């Protein structure tokens, strides 16, 4: 069973379109994250949710809106896509136990904006 | 703010050579430290982690890392690399469980057979 899954795996779209990426984890974790990996492979946090509540909202354009319908799902909606949004987006989840946690990553969604 | 530096951008080795990848972080308090590997076209997988205790941690696939608090370092080592170790390696840190990972810029390891 896949622990953290994302759909779609690949997404090719035109500038100006709106698109969504879905993430689901079956690990029972309380915390979920979205990271962006740019063309130079640099990974940076975008958002973090704990029990459906937004915890981290880094300096991300407000065209990006995360939504967590329940603690097993964290979706990412992007409005008015721009060329610079092309990247790989990774979802992750973790569970704090004993003051420590480990983040499990999904397979990534490669977004290409034309 | 926390930051992570990985000194080696691209490392090229022959099979059976020894590997050491440098990682330094900037944060004065207690940290949790991680090394992740990303094989070509794949997602991030955890190699090893340090939360507390023995500063020499062993991970999967023969990797180990040593936490040296005085040097703010967490270098990754492997005594003998294989062609299948060709991948991108990321060092990461969190100051607190349940918070975001701060990643280094990654090191590309290329192993020739």
């Amino acid at each position: 069973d896949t622990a953290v899954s994302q759909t779609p795996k690949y997404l090719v779209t035109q500038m100006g379109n709106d698109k969504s990426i879905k993430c689901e984890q079956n690990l029972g974790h309380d915390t979920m994250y979205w990271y962006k990996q740019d063309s130079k492979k640099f990974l940076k946090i975008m958002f973090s949710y704990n029990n459906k509540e937004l915890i981290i909202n880094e300096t991300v354009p407000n065209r990006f809106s995360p939504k967590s319908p329940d603690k097993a799902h964290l979706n990412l909606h992007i409005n008015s896509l721009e060329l610079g949004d092309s990247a790989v987006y990774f979802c992750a989840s973790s569970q704090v136990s004993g003051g420590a946690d480990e983040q499990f990553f999904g397979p990534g969604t490669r977004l290409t904006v034309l | 703010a926390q930051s992570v530096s990985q000194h080696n951008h691209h490392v090229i080795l022959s099979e059976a050579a020894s590997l050491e990848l440098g990682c330094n972080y900037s944060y004065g308090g207690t940290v949790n430290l991680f090394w992740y590997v990303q094989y070509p076209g794949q997602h991030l997988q955890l190699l090893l982690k340090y939360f507390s205790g023995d500063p020499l941690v062993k991970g999967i696939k023969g990797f180990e890392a040593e936490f040296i608090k005085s040097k703010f370092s967490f270098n990754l080592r492997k005594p003998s690399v294989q062609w299948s170790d060709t991948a991108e390696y990321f060092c990461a840190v969190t100051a607190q469980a349940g918070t975001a990972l701060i990643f280094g810029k990654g090191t590309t390891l290329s192993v020739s057979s």
Side-chain angles (χ1 to χ4, degrees):
Chain A
D1 273 347
T2 305
V4 182
S5 59
Q6 294 178 228
T7 53
K9 189 166 183 179
Y10 300 96
L11 186 53
V12 181
T13 187
Q14 300 285 334
M15 277 176 55
N17 284 350
D18 303 339
K19 290 293 177 186
S20 291
I21 307 172
K22 296 186 176 182
C23 177
E24 176 181 0
Q25 54 97 1
N26 63 8
L27 298 166
H29 290 168
D30 285 339
T31 308
M32 296 184 72
Y33 312 79
W34 277 111
Y35 290 87
K36 178 180 179 180
Q37 185 174 44
D38 63 22
S39 58
K40 294 183 179 179
K41 301 209 172 175
F42 183 55
L43 282 146
K44 190 172 180 185
I45 184 69
M46 299 176 71
F47 302 103
S48 166
Y49 269 72
N50 182 271
N51 274 319
K52 304 194 300 176
E53 183 182 336
L54 181 65
I55 301 298
I56 297 172
N57 184 357
E58 289 295 310
T59 345
V60 175
N62 57 16
R63 298 181 295 102
F64 289 79
S65 53
K67 282 193 171 52
S68 183
D70 55 63
K71 75 173 195 176
H73 295 85
L74 179 61
N75 303 325
L76 183 65
H77 188 76
I78 316 169
N79 289 327
S80 303
L81 278 155
E82 299 178 358
L83 293 176
D85 298 332
S86 295
V88 182
Y89 293 84
F90 286 100
C91 177
S93 73
S94 73
Q95 179 69 38
V96 177
S97 174
D101 69 337
E102 171 189 336
Q103 293 186 23
F104 292 81
F105 284 79
T109 296
R110 182 175 293 277
L111 171 65
T112 303
V113 182
L114 303 174
Chain B
Q2 300 164 51
S3 66
V4 178
S5 297
Q6 291 183 240
H7 317 297
N8 316 100
H9 179 63
H10 192 178
V11 173
I12 302 172
L13 294 173
S14 299
E15 274 194 316
S18 64
L19 170 72
E20 180 159 3
L21 300 182
C23 173
N24 286 88
Y25 64 92
S26 66
Y27 184 71
T30 303
V31 291
N32 298 324
L33 295 156
F34 306 83
W35 275 98
Y36 281 86
V37 62
Q38 186 177 27
Y39 297 103
Q42 295 192 26
H43 63 102
L44 290 147
Q45 299 174 41
L46 183 70
L47 272 179
L48 45 78
K49 61 194 176 194
Y50 174 80
F51 296 147
S52 63
D54 188 345
L56 184 62
V57 292
K58 295 195 182 298
I60 60 172
K61 306 188 182 193
F63 286 92
E64 65 178 31
E66 185 175 13
F67 170 53
I68 303 179
K69 189 175 181 179
S70 60
K71 294 185 178 181
F72 299 89
S73 70
F74 190 56
N75 292 353
L76 181 71
R77 299 195 291 251
K78 186 171 183 179
S80 176
V81 295
Q82 301 173 314
W83 177 82
S84 57
D85 292 324
T86 295
E88 194 81 19
Y89 292 81
F90 294 95
C91 181
V93 61
T94 62
Q96 183 180 340
T99 61
L101 288 163
I102 307 300
F103 284 92
K105 292 192 174 181
T107 297
T108 303
L109 172 64
S110 300
V111 180
S112 58
S113 56

